Amino acid sequence: MDTIVAEATSPVNAGAVGIVRLSGERALPIASKLFSTAELDTLHDALPRKMYLGTITTATLKDMAFCMYCKAPKSYTGEDVVELQSHGGRVIIKSIVRACIELGARPALPGEFTKRAFLNGKCTLDAAEGIVDLVNARSEAEAMQAYRLMSGELAGSIYNNESLLTLALANLEVALDYPEEILEDTKTAALDIINRVYKSLEAIYLSSEKRALVREGITVVIAGLPNAGKSSLLNALLKDERAIVTDIPGTTRDTLYETLEVEGTRIHLVDTAGLRESEDPIEKIGVGRAKTAIEGANLVVILKDGSVPETEAERAIEAEYTRKKRIIAQSKSDAETYPRKADIKISARNGENIEELLHLILTKTGAAELGSSAVLTRERHIFAIKTAMDALLSAKENFAFVPPDCTAVDLRRACRALAAVTGKEVNEEVYDKIFSEFCVGK
């Protein structure tokens, strides 16, 4: 297989350190022509996984650098790998890569290092997908789920369920080979395994309902009557004077979007116009946009102003969104004169219960649990798990009415679907598409 080379650090901006990675049988010979160190007569004598300080020399420049050699198969790709770590200037990195190519290496394709790791059995396909998800993560919650995938948490569950289905198939094979002598408990054991695996896969599948929380975050709309303290709450949550706040009702005429991260989860906050009937054409548009935002939100925080008497309009707002996931919050608790029945009392002015409100938002939306369990976030995995579940459901429902070989067909279909997750049962087109998501050098 060709020896490949690419920059492993960001090609966009210069940094303190730049890494050039080589993988393949000629990685060490190529690197030995560029790198020299006082510790060794030749780089061929390098100890695996030891970092050496020396000099990189190309046709156009020299630089002090480190070099590390990982001998196959104990490397990222499973092949001989050499990493050259120089200063991160763009000119330096380009010169090193060009020199490696001139010495016989080929520019690596996007994701080709990880693709070789997969092909050489160093990682499963789902773990490789976890790597690209981790690199592209936009929040701590997304990074944590990517790490779970990369570290083999899903693969471990898949392998365990595959092993159980293999055992169930073995029991069915006994029933086929010895139909007259077969004991009933052999078939019962197979059915028990089918039920057990189905429940396991169902739990994994149901986790996918939270994938939008991981990838996109939570959209929370702050709603209520004019002057209920919506913009003040937005500012308090952001700890920044983002929205204009006055005592004049109806100051906010449009939806205002801001994002913050809480306990690893992104929360998209939407400040809205006060919900009331108005003849002002601009305010009417703002109210319409507020209602649209509420309908598309994961959660709505309905504010009730505790400093003024409750009105019919306030009660109407609460009644209108009874079917929506919501939090009723009494605002202006520091000036409370007319207490309200609410889930929480807050004060944007002195910060009372603002942090508690954020935690309540995470709890109400289910985001508080994201760090404690794995969530299926990739459509490919969700489809494969659902396919396996459908096959097992068929096996369960028809178990008592069909011969063992028919049940075995369903179990093999389930096994093939599970094998697709880890990459044992996928064609080259599928994994080529997956690795094309990677950047060059990974």
Side-chain angles (χ1 to χ4, degrees), residues 27 35 70 117 170 183 192 248 276 351 372 383 397-398 412 424 426 437:
F35 181 83
C70 293
L183 297 176
D192 287 344
I248 304 169
R276 68 175 177 183
S372 61
F383 177 78
E397 291 179 342
N398 299 307
R412 291 191 185 97
K424 290 192 295 185
V426 293
E437 299 177 27

Side-chain angles (χ1 to χ4, degrees), residues 235-258:
N235 291 340
L237 292 170
L238 295 172
K239 297 180 180 178
D240 185 26
E241 296 298 316
R242 182 64 184 84
I244 298 172
V245 176
T246 73
D247 293 330
I248 304 169
T251 302
T252 302
R253 297 293 188 97
D254 202 351
T255 46
L256 179 62
Y257 295 83
E258 292 292 335

